[in-house]
Amino acid sequence: MAPLLTPLLAVRGSDGTSLLRGPPNCEENSAFQRDSRQSRYVTFSKDGSLFGWCNGEKVSVVKSSDGSLVGSFDLPKTAMLEFSPQNKVLATWQPYTKTIANKLHLQKVSEFALSPGNQPSKVAVYVPGAKGAPSFVRLYQYPNFGGPTSALANKSFFKADRVTMLWNKKATAVLVTASTEVDKTGASYYGEQTLHYVAVNGESAIVQLPKNGPIYDVMWSPNSTEFCVVYGFMPAKATIFNLKCESVFDFGTGPRNAAFYSPQGHILVLAGFGNLRGQMEVWDVKKYKQVSKPQAADTTHFSWCPDGEHIVTATCSPRLRVSNGFKVWHYTGSVLYKQDTPSGAELWEVLWQPFPSGTFPEKPVKYQAAPSELGSTEAKPAQAYRPPALRNKPQTASSKLHEEEPPQSMKPGAGGEKQMSKSALKNQKKREAKKAAKQEMKSDAPPTQTEPSSSNAAPAASTSGDPDTDKKIKNLKKKLKAIEELKEQQSSGKPLQKNQLEKIQKEAQLLKELEDLELGL
């Protein structure tokens, strides 16, 4: 019987560098001699067999299995290091220059992202727009850099001061988050963000997000066929999309701003760190069922163990200089190990030992909490803040400060109703649109003298009783419809005139006017 694999956990802090044997006990590895000097950087090789670190005096490499020294190098200025994929070369970094073998001649490139995985390598490049021209992202395969015709794919878009580009694991597609510094509509303090999908087969699309607000996190599933987006004003929504940019599952709303897939892709953690309270939602993404809901306050670092069973959360300096330490959890919510950094010392980093893909196969998801002497920290349901004037009154829809949505699986009728096919959904939308058009035609048609209206008959559409108000509502709806058509042209890459762009910027103002008029009905 093969010995049980136990991942190591590297701990780098102000009191030195150490290696701990992985969960559940996390004891210090006796085969590794703790380095009491402060390390600048620590790393494992891709297969986890080697561990290296630099401490301002030298660079050291040891075997992870027994701690034996592989090599020591007198390189005191080293700030970063990386092992080659086959563990034959160790690259160390300090300011240097390098001759480039192949060049991509493209003006004003401001961002690029190299694909992960094996050859052939691919690269995504971003060129910002100027003087009314759209920004664009192009995908190339190394070394075919011979102009626009050699590009694998091209996606152009407006509203982008900067972008972040994320390749999937198989290097078949890129997710591009485009951001503006300022939201000209005034709807958001954080500017405006859009998400675009670009594939190496030439397909591209804009990802339609049903809630307005910032995009906090975008994460590919390890299977490269789905991705999760956390977005919208708090409480934020989280949705899984497929490669056609269609919604696969909606997690509803909650206090979250980050998403983390397990290495095997079978579990997803939605978390609220930073200025949120550290609530984590652990989901089985095969059944779309919630497993646990632990809480890790003041977390500045989260990472999955390669075994897909455990996670580590840490509070590190310099992000937070108090209450430093880390916890090792089982995904069912149990805390298996806890280490608090002594007073006066700082924790800088924790890092799991990596393993080659496939070392730890996917296991069935458990729903019962793993046994632990430290127990779990299930997040207690928090009472929403209510103004003093409303605290002794029954809660109504209008008294809620935030709009809350349950996960898709918990919405009424979700258990028994079969999900409609695309064609059925499309036909339903057509029927609803035709019905709405008939209603509008009835409301717009003048009353005839030959058919006296009955005093008991219900009106075809709700009116305010004021012809001027009804006319304003009708005109606002026409303007908003025209803006939607302009936005569709813009998303397709068609340049717009200045006056057309100004119309789009007035959308939020028109929506507010329409809402005020309709509330007065």
Side-chain angles (χ1 to χ4, degrees):
M1 183 176 178
L4 185 65
L5 287 173
T6 305
L8 300 176
L9 182 67
V11 180
R12 182 177 70 95
S14 60
D15 56 350
T17 300
S18 59
L19 282 180
L20 304 183
R21 291 206 170 275
N25 297 326
C26 295
E27 298 174 346
E28 193 159 322
N29 186 0
S30 58
F32 178 80
Q33 186 175 357
R34 180 188 185 91
D35 187 347
S36 60
R37 289 161 293 191
Q38 296 181 357
S39 297
R40 295 179 178 176
Y41 196 84
V42 298
T43 187
F44 286 96
S45 60
K46 299 295 182 185
D47 63 359
S49 63
L50 300 175
F51 175 67
W53 73 101
C54 54
N55 56 19
E57 295 183 10
K58 59 183 179 180
V59 173
S60 301
V61 178
V62 299
K63 290 184 179 179
S64 302
S65 58
D66 57 12
S68 59
L69 184 66
V70 176
S72 179
F73 311 97
D74 185 19
L75 297 169
K77 294 183 179 180
T78 299
M80 297 176 69
L81 53 147
E82 184 80 14
F83 290 97
S84 67
Q86 296 184 1
N87 301 346
K88 294 181 179 180
V89 177
L90 175 67
T92 62
W93 182 88
Q94 61 188 70
Y96 70 100
T97 59
K98 181 177 181 294
T99 303
I100 301 172
N102 291 278
K103 292 184 179 181
L104 173 61
H105 297 281
L106 197 62
Q107 291 184 351
K108 299 181 180 179
V109 172
S110 65
E111 297 286 344
F112 70 91
L114 293 174
S115 65
N118 299 324
Q119 303 290 339
S121 297
K122 303 177 184 69
V123 61
V125 295
Y126 164 69
V127 176
K131 296 181 179 179
S135 307
F136 63 85
V137 168
R138 286 179 185 164
L139 309 185
Y140 293 89
Q141 181 169 303
Y142 179 86
N144 301 323
F145 294 153
T149 56
S150 64
L152 300 174
N154 181 81
K155 173 66 175 175
S156 59
F157 45 85
F158 290 90
K159 296 184 179 180
D161 294 327
R162 65 183 187 279
V163 300
T164 56
M165 296 179 286
L166 181 66
W167 284 95
N168 61 12
K169 187 177 180 180
K170 294 182 179 178
T172 58
V174 178
L175 290 171
V176 182
T177 305
S179 308
T180 59
E181 299 292 344
V182 178
D183 184 355
K184 294 181 180 179
T185 65
S188 173
Y189 171 80
Y190 301 97
E192 191 173 358
Q193 293 176 302
T194 53
L195 183 62
H196 304 270
Y197 167 86
V198 191
V200 296
N201 63 3
E203 295 180 356
S204 64
I206 184 171
V207 183
Q208 299 290 346
L209 303 177
K211 186 174 184 178
N212 293 330
I215 298 175
Y216 303 103
D217 198 12
V218 179
M219 185 62 61
W220 280 103
S221 168
N223 63 22
S224 297
T225 61
E226 295 178 343
F227 57 92
C228 180
V229 188
V230 183
Y231 60 96
F233 295 113
M234 288 294 169
K237 285 180 72 70
T239 307
I240 290 181
F241 296 89
N242 59 20
L243 295 183
K244 294 183 179 179
C245 299
E246 299 169 334
S247 174
V248 175
F249 187 81
D250 182 0
F251 294 95
T253 59
R256 52 174 83 111
N257 54 16
F260 306 92
Y261 277 99
S262 66
Q264 293 77 13
H266 64 320
I267 299 176
L268 174 67
V269 175
L270 300 174
F273 296 141
N275 59 347
L276 299 177
R277 296 182 178 180
Q279 177 177 299
M280 297 184 286
E281 306 164 49
V282 182
W283 286 83
D284 177 349
V285 290
K286 297 293 179 66
K287 299 179 180 178
Y288 292 112
K289 184 177 179 182
Q290 190 172 107
V291 179
S292 63
K293 200 172 183 178
Q295 188 163 353
D298 299 328
T299 294
T300 63
H301 172 80
F302 174 104
S303 61
W304 275 97
C305 178
D307 64 6
E309 296 272 313
H310 303 89
I311 59 177
V312 63
T313 60
T315 304
C316 301
S317 291
R319 179 70 181 274
L320 284 177
R321 296 191 181 275
V322 295
S323 303
N324 282 191
F326 66 91
K327 294 177 183 177
V328 176
W329 309 67
H330 190 266
Y331 65 78
T332 53
S334 301
V335 179
L336 304 180
Y337 180 80
K338 178 182 178 182
Q339 180 174 309
D340 296 324
T341 302
S343 178
E346 295 180 345
L347 177 65
W348 294 338
E349 186 181 13
V350 292
L351 180 68
W352 289 110
Q353 175 190 11
F355 284 83
S357 179
T359 302
F360 296 96
E362 178 184 328
K363 297 181 180 178
V365 176
K366 301 176 182 177
Y367 292 87
Q368 185 175 0
S372 169
E373 295 180 359
L374 298 177
S376 63
T377 58
E378 283 282 336
K380 297 179 180 178
Q383 295 293 329
Y385 172 79
R386 300 188 72 195
L390 297 176
R391 288 177 185 172
N392 296 323
K393 297 181 180 180
Q395 187 172 0
T396 62
S398 61
S399 66
K400 291 184 178 181
L401 295 179
H402 303 291
E403 181 183 356
E404 298 178 356
E405 295 181 25
Q408 181 178 321
S409 56
M410 295 176 63
K411 291 181 179 179
E417 291 183 4
K418 187 176 179 181
Q419 195 171 13
M420 288 190 293
S421 64
K422 292 182 190 177
S423 58
L425 189 61
K426 189 175 181 180
N427 291 334
Q428 184 190 44
K429 288 182 178 179
K430 284 183 179 179
R431 289 193 297 269
E432 291 174 353
K434 186 180 289 187
K435 185 178 179 181
K438 286 182 179 179
Q439 292 289 347
E440 190 173 348
M441 288 175 64
K442 288 181 182 178
S443 64
D444 291 342
T448 59
Q449 294 181 353
T450 56
E451 297 182 7
S453 60
S454 171
S455 59
N456 296 326
S462 59
T463 63
S464 64
D466 182 3
D468 291 338
T469 301
D470 293 340
K471 188 175 181 180
K472 289 179 181 178
I473 292 175
K474 185 177 178 181
N475 289 335
L476 284 171
K477 288 182 177 179
K478 285 182 179 179
K479 290 180 181 179
L480 289 168
K481 185 177 180 181
I483 288 175
E484 285 298 321
E485 292 174 354
L486 289 174
K487 289 170 69 176
E488 289 180 5
Q489 294 178 24
Q490 187 182 43
S491 65
S492 65
K494 182 178 179 180
L496 299 181
Q497 300 295 327
K498 184 179 180 181
N499 63 330
Q500 293 175 319
L501 293 171
E502 290 175 350
K503 289 181 180 179
I504 293 177
Q505 294 170 7
K506 293 179 181 178
E507 182 182 19
Q509 178 185 345
L510 296 177
L511 285 169
K512 182 68 170 62
E513 291 179 16
L514 179 62
E515 182 181 1
D516 292 342
L517 289 171
E518 289 181 333
L519 286 174
L521 294 180

